[in-house]
Amino acid sequence: MPLHSFRTNDVELSCYVSGTGVPCVLIHGFPFDHTMWQQQIEAISATCCVIAPDLRGFGASTQLQSDGENGVDMLDYAKDILALLDHLQVTEPAVLCGFSMGGYILWQLALHAPERFRAIVLFDTRADADTQQGRAGRLAMADKVVRTGTEPVVEVMLPKLLAKKTLESRPEIAAHVTHIIRAASPVAIAAAQRGMARRPDVRDRLSELEMPALVLVGAEDAISPPDEMRTIAGDLPQAQFIEVPDAGHMTVLENPTAVNSALTSFLKSL
Ligand code: MLT
């Protein structure tokens, strides 16, 4: 695997880089790493330069020591990605793709540095902040995971991540997702939960994002429901909306054929 490692903003980040062409940055969700994009990487690396980092604390990036208590803001993850683009000397505007928590980070990048991105792709994400109840749940989970390890995250998240049909009839996908969650660092999980709990509501800023956008959501997504994502697409000045059949939240794993076809046509259209 063409994995690169570099030091920025006081952490060691690992990043998969492969292919030539338009730079395409893939930001993974919570609590995953860049390997969740494997099937999209295979689909686009013949025509794009794929840049798929492991966010701080996740995957092959260096483990965090103490941010579990303070949390990592979406803007901090975003700054890591800007530093990564500088490190890789990417000067051409990139296509920016974000899955779920990766979408929360995408908003920060696209709002703070719009000149660096020529198009955005939102997978199964949200634009609003957490409710008070959602925030309390995240903080409780952050405390628990540091004390007990990742098993409670599997229990709480797995039923929400996958469509009912996927859970019932595609055990290999459930096993894959479980494996990634179990392998994630409890400190990184706690840090991300605390950061997501205080993420800003960006709904009233979506009209500022004038670049072409593709908005994809699983038809049975229980975390970022289709109606909410349709509204996001409607609030973006130039967005196409696609509801992916036979998928819950993990569209990229549950229906890679539909996702890859939408993504490659969008990239061709730019
Ligand atoms: C994700 O898939 O990144 C998470 O479900 C996002 C979240 O917990 O809000």
Side-chain angles (χ1 to χ4, degrees):
M1 285 278 253
L3 278 184
H4 293 244
S5 180
F6 78 106
R7 190 156 188 86
T8 181
N9 301 336
D10 290 336
V11 284
E12 192 81 19
L13 288 185
S14 173
C15 182
Y16 174 98
V17 184
S18 174
T20 52
V22 177
C24 187
V25 181
L26 304 175
I27 315 175
H28 65 77
F30 166 88
F32 302 105
D33 57 44
H34 82 277
T35 61
M36 66 165 278
W37 294 112
Q38 189 55 45
Q39 296 174 82
Q40 287 66 49
I41 291 174
E42 282 161 20
I44 65 173
S45 56
T47 51
C48 292
C49 171
V50 175
I51 300 171
D54 286 339
L55 296 170
R56 54 168 66 203
F58 290 98
S61 289
T62 308
Q63 302 279 302
L64 301 178
Q65 298 306 320
S66 61
D67 281 345
E69 280 161 33
N70 300 325
V72 176
D73 284 330
M74 300 303 107
L75 186 57
D76 293 328
Y77 292 120
K79 286 179 184 163
D80 287 346
I81 289 173
L82 289 176
L84 167 68
L85 293 178
D86 290 343
H87 170 82
L88 294 171
Q89 297 180 337
V90 174
T91 48
E92 183 186 342
V95 177
L96 182 60
C97 305
F99 172 84
S100 198
M101 181 176 86
Y104 310 156
I105 299 166
L106 179 155
W107 300 132
Q108 297 304 315
L109 282 162
L111 288 167
H112 283 86
E115 71 289 353
R116 307 283 304 252
F117 305 105
R118 58 180 293 177
I120 52 177
V121 186
L122 287 315
F123 294 83
D124 305 273
T125 193
R126 311 182 65 181
D128 55 353
D130 278 350
T131 58
Q132 218 169 3
Q133 191 188 6
R135 203 169 294 137
R138 285 198 197 277
L139 299 181
M141 175 62 76
D143 284 341
K144 190 165 182 183
V145 75
V146 174
R147 278 186 282 111
T148 66
T150 54
E151 215 45 43
V153 187
V154 175
E155 275 162 35
V156 170
M157 286 197 76
L158 194 63
K160 294 193 210 157
L161 288 171
L162 300 174
K164 195 161 172 278
K165 201 163 150 206
T166 310
L167 280 166
E168 284 165 3
S169 59
R170 300 172 72 192
E172 71 290 356
I173 296 187
H176 181 50
V177 171
T178 303
H179 173 78
I180 307 182
I181 300 176
R182 282 200 180 128
S185 141
V187 175
I189 289 178
Q193 284 284 37
R194 292 186 192 286
M196 285 192 281
R198 55 180 188 242
R199 76 183 187 278
D201 184 338
V202 295
R203 285 174 297 178
D204 62 356
R205 298 200 60 192
L206 297 182
S207 59
E208 294 172 37
L209 301 178
E210 284 169 354
M211 59 286 266
L214 173 63
V215 175
L216 291 153
V217 64
E220 290 164 60
D221 189 334
I223 295 177
S224 40
D227 282 350
E228 212 174 294
M229 288 214 74
R230 194 175 290 108
T231 303
I232 291 177
D235 289 344
L236 288 164
Q238 278 199 71
Q240 252 181 76
F241 173 75
I242 295 183
E243 191 171 304
V244 178
D246 302 320
H249 188 61
M250 299 299 301
T251 43
V252 298
L253 297 176
E254 294 178 86
N255 196 343
T257 309
V259 165
N260 292 351
S261 145
L263 181 60
T264 49
S265 332
F266 179 70
L267 292 172
K268 265 191 214 143
S269 75
L270 295 175

